[in-house]
Amino acid sequence: MKISRKKALKNMAGLSALGFIGFPEFGHSQSIKEMKGKINHSVCRWPYGKNTLEELCEAAKEIGISSIELLNPDEWPIVQKYGLTCAMANCVPLSLTDGFNDPKLHEQLKKDYFDLIPKVADAGLKNIICFSGNRNGMPDDLGMENCAIGLEPVVKKAQEYGLTICMELLNSKVNHPDYQCDHTEWGAGLCEKLGMENFKLLYDIYHMQIMEGDIIATIQKYHPYIAHYHTGGVPGRNEIDETQELNYKAIMEAIVATGFTGYVAQEFIPKNEDVFASLAQGVRICDV
């Protein structure tokens, strides 16, 4: 069964992982010893909806992952109990289609984020996700202007608490039709319009390969605007190994070369029966 991220974020129901067994398991100490330390490894919660958050925490510790992300406030203490962090907190309530480009939503979004921001800071977390919303016939320049107006008080409030608001780049070609922040240049333009260091982009490599390609050159050009990265195999958003078209080792090396010190989160949907073996494989590929 295929599942969209939008559906999974609303409820953690059903991923079917079918196929391959046999990727070797690694003890926790061996995994940590093998880590090169240039990439901070994270994993998104939603692709592991058949596993409890506790099970994902245990696997993350074993593999050498230090963050589980896209979590709500009631989930943060669980990961912290395992000595992990949440490198990207969910907004509350979460919507990819209704976002900051709609002026009618600005007051509600401001209220929601003003309520969430102190909670994120109290938990010791640093980043909160946000979304542009769908175009619904809105020109891109007007959508950018509306986003900037709606985001300004939210980003200023986050700045008071030392937090960064991150807008995710998503593809509008396959997964999220009509989503407005679907090109890196547009996202970077919004960063420039706001002009605040604590507003950045969440660069999803899977989504941007679908929309525009030229991943390494784009990262090299726009890296000052990027605070966070997500992975995923293209096509299909499955494992990031040789079954898909991207060279993730080269991409990670390019990210490291920019001086990036944030997190890279695995956000692929495992096809293999042993989902945590696939996760370990993805982390090893990205650990350059």
Side-chain angles (χ1 to χ4, degrees):
M1 180 197 306
K2 290 186 178 180
I3 186 168
S4 70
R5 176 178 169 195
K6 178 181 176 182
K7 182 178 179 181
L9 286 169
K10 289 184 176 178
N11 61 62
M12 297 304 293
L15 294 178
S16 295
L18 303 173
F20 168 89
I21 305 176
F23 192 84
E25 295 182 1
F26 296 91
H28 173 63
S29 61
Q30 184 179 357
S31 298
I32 296 298
K33 182 178 180 181
E34 290 179 351
M35 292 296 171
K36 297 181 175 67
K38 296 179 182 178
I39 295 287
N40 293 312
H41 297 284
S42 183
V43 58
C44 295
R45 167 67 175 126
W46 71 268
Y48 302 89
K50 281 197 167 184
N51 300 96
T52 67
L53 182 54
E54 298 258 359
E55 289 171 339
L56 183 55
C57 288
E58 291 170 358
K61 292 285 287 186
E62 188 78 8
I63 294 165
I65 295 169
S66 59
S67 161
I68 298 174
E69 63 183 65
L70 301 184
L71 301 177
N72 293 324
D74 62 328
E75 297 171 305
W76 303 336
I78 298 173
V79 299
Q80 290 173 332
K81 181 178 70 174
Y82 284 85
L84 305 172
T85 189
C86 175
M88 186 64 63
N90 272 343
C91 57
V92 180
L94 188 67
S95 175
L96 282 67
T97 58
D98 302 314
F100 281 97
N101 64 354
D102 186 348
K104 296 190 299 293
L105 301 176
H106 285 176
E107 282 306 310
Q108 185 61 49
L109 286 166
K110 179 180 175 181
K111 179 179 180 296
D112 291 339
Y113 276 90
F114 273 40
D115 178 65
L116 179 63
I117 284 167
K119 297 175 183 177
V120 174
D122 288 346
L125 309 182
K126 297 297 182 184
N127 299 312
I128 307 174
I129 199 168
C130 76
F131 301 98
S132 67
N134 286 1
R135 289 181 173 87
N136 295 315
M138 184 183 301
D140 281 351
D141 57 348
L142 179 58
M144 185 185 297
E145 180 67 26
N146 288 343
C147 281
I149 293 169
L151 279 163
E152 184 176 13
V154 172
V155 177
K156 284 182 177 178
K157 176 62 69 173
Q159 191 174 48
E160 294 175 14
Y161 287 85
L163 306 181
T164 298
I165 304 296
C166 300
M167 181 171 285
E168 184 165 14
L169 293 153
L170 302 173
N171 84 74
S172 59
K173 180 180 178 182
V174 176
N175 301 102
H176 304 286
D178 203 40
Y179 184 74
Q180 192 142 47
C181 186
D182 61 354
H183 282 81
T184 312
E185 184 178 10
W186 189 93
L190 178 57
C191 291
E192 291 179 352
K193 182 174 283 289
L194 273 166
M196 288 183 271
E197 280 299 309
N198 65 314
F199 177 77
K200 300 284 187 181
L201 301 176
L202 194 171
Y203 185 92
D204 190 303
I205 298 164
Y206 161 79
H207 286 298
M208 290 302 96
Q209 172 67 2
I210 290 172
M211 286 306 297
E212 57 193 24
D214 205 19
I215 296 294
I216 290 176
T218 301
I219 288 170
Q220 289 169 338
K221 180 177 181 179
Y222 291 109
H223 71 87
Y225 304 106
I226 299 170
H228 200 82
Y229 290 92
H230 282 172
T231 76
V234 182
R237 198 181 199 143
N238 303 123
E239 279 81 353
I240 61 170
D241 56 18
E242 69 282 353
T243 62
Q244 52 86 57
E245 67 192 29
L246 289 165
N247 183 346
Y248 266 97
K249 181 177 183 294
I251 292 169
M252 292 301 125
E253 288 173 344
I255 290 172
V256 169
T258 67
F260 181 72
T261 58
Y263 279 82
V264 173
Q266 303 297 327
E267 198 188 20
F268 61 85
I269 302 171
K271 293 174 67 178
N272 300 337
E273 183 174 348
D274 188 341
V275 296
F276 293 144
S278 282
L279 178 57
Q281 180 190 45
V283 169
R284 287 165 60 84
I285 289 168
C286 290
D287 193 54
V288 296

